PDB file of all heavy atoms in Angstrom:
ATOM      1  N   GLY C  12      30.104 -22.582  -9.216  1.00  0.00           N
ATOM      2  CA  GLY C  12      30.122 -23.718  -8.048  1.00  0.00           C
ATOM      3  C   GLY C  12      31.195 -23.528  -7.149  1.00  0.00           C
ATOM      4  O   GLY C  12      32.068 -22.770  -7.211  1.00  0.00           O
ATOM      5  N   THR C  14      33.619 -26.107  -4.271  1.00  0.00           N
ATOM      6  CA  THR C  14      33.934 -27.354  -3.809  1.00  0.00           C
ATOM      7  C   THR C  14      33.695 -27.471  -2.322  1.00  0.00           C
ATOM      8  O   THR C  14      33.534 -26.393  -1.561  1.00  0.00           O
ATOM      9  CB  THR C  14      35.387 -27.729  -4.033  1.00  0.00           C
ATOM     10  OG1 THR C  14      36.139 -26.910  -3.284  1.00  0.00           O
ATOM     11  CG2 THR C  14      35.776 -27.474  -5.440  1.00  0.00           C
ATOM     12  N   ALA C  66      18.973 -36.400  -1.280  1.00  0.00           N
ATOM     13  CA  ALA C  66      19.914 -36.727  -2.415  1.00  0.00           C
ATOM     14  C   ALA C  66      21.035 -35.642  -2.631  1.00  0.00           C
ATOM     15  O   ALA C  66      21.659 -35.633  -3.735  1.00  0.00           O
ATOM     16  CB  ALA C  66      19.072 -36.957  -3.628  1.00  0.00           C
ATOM     17  N   ALA C 123      17.539   6.866 -21.823  1.00  0.00           N
ATOM     18  CA  ALA C 123      17.308   7.481 -20.598  1.00  0.00           C
ATOM     19  C   ALA C 123      17.405   8.962 -20.723  1.00  0.00           C
ATOM     20  O   ALA C 123      18.124   9.454 -21.762  1.00  0.00           O
ATOM     21  CB  ALA C 123      18.454   6.999 -19.548  1.00  0.00           C
ATOM     22  N   VAL C 165      19.389  15.614  -5.859  1.00  0.00           N
ATOM     23  CA  VAL C 165      19.512  14.400  -5.124  1.00  0.00           C
ATOM     24  C   VAL C 165      20.824  13.777  -5.236  1.00  0.00           C
ATOM     25  O   VAL C 165      21.447  13.863  -6.287  1.00  0.00           O
ATOM     26  CB  VAL C 165      18.480  13.264  -5.613  1.00  0.00           C
ATOM     27  CG1 VAL C 165      18.804  11.896  -4.999  1.00  0.00           C
ATOM     28  CG2 VAL C 165      17.023  13.753  -5.265  1.00  0.00           C
ATOM     29  N   ALA C 194       9.120   2.279  -5.110  1.00  0.00           N
ATOM     30  CA  ALA C 194       9.281   2.983  -3.877  1.00  0.00           C
ATOM     31  C   ALA C 194       9.151   4.446  -4.182  1.00  0.00           C
ATOM     32  O   ALA C 194       9.576   4.898  -5.213  1.00  0.00           O
ATOM     33  CB  ALA C 194      10.390   2.546  -3.086  1.00  0.00           C
ATOM     34  N   GLN C 215       6.492  21.656   3.089  1.00  0.00           N
ATOM     35  CA  GLN C 215       7.336  20.409   3.621  1.00  0.00           C
ATOM     36  C   GLN C 215       8.669  20.791   3.128  1.00  0.00           C
ATOM     37  O   GLN C 215       9.073  20.378   2.016  1.00  0.00           O
ATOM     38  CB  GLN C 215       6.703  19.160   3.123  1.00  0.00           C
ATOM     39  CG  GLN C 215       5.295  18.942   3.432  1.00  0.00           C
ATOM     40  CD  GLN C 215       4.967  18.716   4.927  1.00  0.00           C
ATOM     41  OE1 GLN C 215       5.628  17.836   5.570  1.00  0.00           O
ATOM     42  NE2 GLN C 215       4.305  19.521   5.678  1.00  0.00           N
ATOM     43  N   GLY C 237       8.785  17.895   7.159  1.00  0.00           N
ATOM     44  CA  GLY C 237       8.327  19.167   7.026  1.00  0.00           C
ATOM     45  C   GLY C 237       9.286  20.238   7.647  1.00  0.00           C
ATOM     46  O   GLY C 237       9.720  21.163   7.021  1.00  0.00           O
ATOM     47  N   THR C 241      13.423  13.659   7.582  1.00  0.00           N
ATOM     48  CA  THR C 241      13.163  12.317   7.842  1.00  0.00           C
ATOM     49  C   THR C 241      14.372  11.407   7.696  1.00  0.00           C
ATOM     50  O   THR C 241      15.129  11.487   6.572  1.00  0.00           O
ATOM     51  CB  THR C 241      12.157  11.861   6.826  1.00  0.00           C
ATOM     52  OG1 THR C 241      10.906  12.597   6.955  1.00  0.00           O
ATOM     53  CG2 THR C 241      11.693  10.308   7.007  1.00  0.00           C
ATOM     54  N   SER C 274       3.462   7.085  11.644  1.00  0.00           N
ATOM     55  CA  SER C 274       2.881   8.403  11.491  1.00  0.00           C
ATOM     56  C   SER C 274       4.055   9.423  11.695  1.00  0.00           C
ATOM     57  O   SER C 274       5.110   9.141  12.135  1.00  0.00           O
ATOM     58  CB  SER C 274       1.856   8.706  12.569  1.00  0.00           C
ATOM     59  OG  SER C 274       0.629   7.903  12.316  1.00  0.00           O
ATOM     60  N   GLY C 275       3.689  10.632  11.453  1.00  0.00           N
ATOM     61  CA  GLY C 275       4.792  11.651  11.508  1.00  0.00           C
ATOM     62  C   GLY C 275       5.461  11.830  12.748  1.00  0.00           C
ATOM     63  O   GLY C 275       4.894  11.558  13.934  1.00  0.00           O
ATOM     64  N   VAL C 309      -0.204   1.397  18.168  1.00  0.00           N
ATOM     65  CA  VAL C 309       0.226   2.230  19.355  1.00  0.00           C
ATOM     66  C   VAL C 309      -0.425   3.592  19.217  1.00  0.00           C
ATOM     67  O   VAL C 309      -0.067   4.287  18.178  1.00  0.00           O
ATOM     68  CB  VAL C 309       1.898   2.343  19.327  1.00  0.00           C
ATOM     69  CG1 VAL C 309       2.377   3.106  20.552  1.00  0.00           C
ATOM     70  CG2 VAL C 309       2.452   0.926  19.224  1.00  0.00           C
ATOM     71  N   PRO C 315       8.846   0.936  25.774  1.00  0.00           N
ATOM     72  CA  PRO C 315      10.262   0.886  26.439  1.00  0.00           C
ATOM     73  C   PRO C 315      11.140   0.007  25.604  1.00  0.00           C
ATOM     74  O   PRO C 315      10.821  -1.002  24.849  1.00  0.00           O
ATOM     75  CB  PRO C 315       9.852   0.076  27.757  1.00  0.00           C
ATOM     76  CG  PRO C 315       8.400   0.138  27.937  1.00  0.00           C
ATOM     77  CD  PRO C 315       7.789   0.303  26.548  1.00  0.00           C
ATOM     78  N   PHE C 323      -4.062  -4.015  20.006  1.00  0.00           N
ATOM     79  CA  PHE C 323      -4.503  -2.687  19.769  1.00  0.00           C
ATOM     80  C   PHE C 323      -5.570  -2.231  20.779  1.00  0.00           C
ATOM     81  O   PHE C 323      -6.599  -2.898  20.821  1.00  0.00           O
ATOM     82  CB  PHE C 323      -5.023  -2.474  18.208  1.00  0.00           C
ATOM     83  CG  PHE C 323      -5.690  -1.177  17.994  1.00  0.00           C
ATOM     84  CD1 PHE C 323      -4.906   0.030  18.265  1.00  0.00           C
ATOM     85  CD2 PHE C 323      -6.928  -1.116  17.533  1.00  0.00           C
ATOM     86  CE1 PHE C 323      -5.526   1.260  17.875  1.00  0.00           C
ATOM     87  CE2 PHE C 323      -7.507   0.039  17.222  1.00  0.00           C
ATOM     88  CZ  PHE C 323      -6.757   1.293  17.463  1.00  0.00           C
ATOM     89  N   GLU C 330       0.399  -9.623  28.173  1.00  0.00           N
ATOM     90  CA  GLU C 330      -0.843  -9.140  28.724  1.00  0.00           C
ATOM     91  C   GLU C 330      -1.904  -9.087  27.549  1.00  0.00           C
ATOM     92  O   GLU C 330      -3.092  -9.442  27.711  1.00  0.00           O
ATOM     93  CB  GLU C 330      -0.726  -7.692  29.245  1.00  0.00           C
ATOM     94  CG  GLU C 330       0.006  -7.624  30.549  1.00  0.00           C
ATOM     95  CD  GLU C 330       0.067  -6.059  30.938  1.00  0.00           C
ATOM     96  OE1 GLU C 330      -0.798  -5.316  30.690  1.00  0.00           O
ATOM     97  OE2 GLU C 330       1.075  -5.714  31.506  1.00  0.00           O
ATOM     98  N   GLY C 334      -5.405 -11.098  27.510  1.00  0.00           N
ATOM     99  CA  GLY C 334      -6.709 -10.413  27.262  1.00  0.00           C
ATOM    100  C   GLY C 334      -7.545 -11.030  26.279  1.00  0.00           C
ATOM    101  O   GLY C 334      -8.623 -11.389  26.382  1.00  0.00           O
ATOM    102  N   GLN C 359     -25.475  -7.420  14.774  1.00  0.00           N
ATOM    103  CA  GLN C 359     -24.051  -7.543  14.230  1.00  0.00           C
ATOM    104  C   GLN C 359     -24.018  -8.030  12.771  1.00  0.00           C
ATOM    105  O   GLN C 359     -23.104  -7.998  12.008  1.00  0.00           O
ATOM    106  CB  GLN C 359     -23.077  -8.368  15.067  1.00  0.00           C
ATOM    107  CG  GLN C 359     -22.850  -7.715  16.352  1.00  0.00           C
ATOM    108  CD  GLN C 359     -22.523  -8.668  17.385  1.00  0.00           C
ATOM    109  OE1 GLN C 359     -22.490  -9.832  17.144  1.00  0.00           O
ATOM    110  NE2 GLN C 359     -22.632  -8.276  18.643  1.00  0.00           N
TER     111      GLN C 359
END
Side-chain angles (χ1 to χ4, degrees):
Chain C
T14 65
V165 166
Q215 303 292 307
T241 304
S274 298
V309 182
F323 174 54
E330 287 181 34
Q359 289 146 16

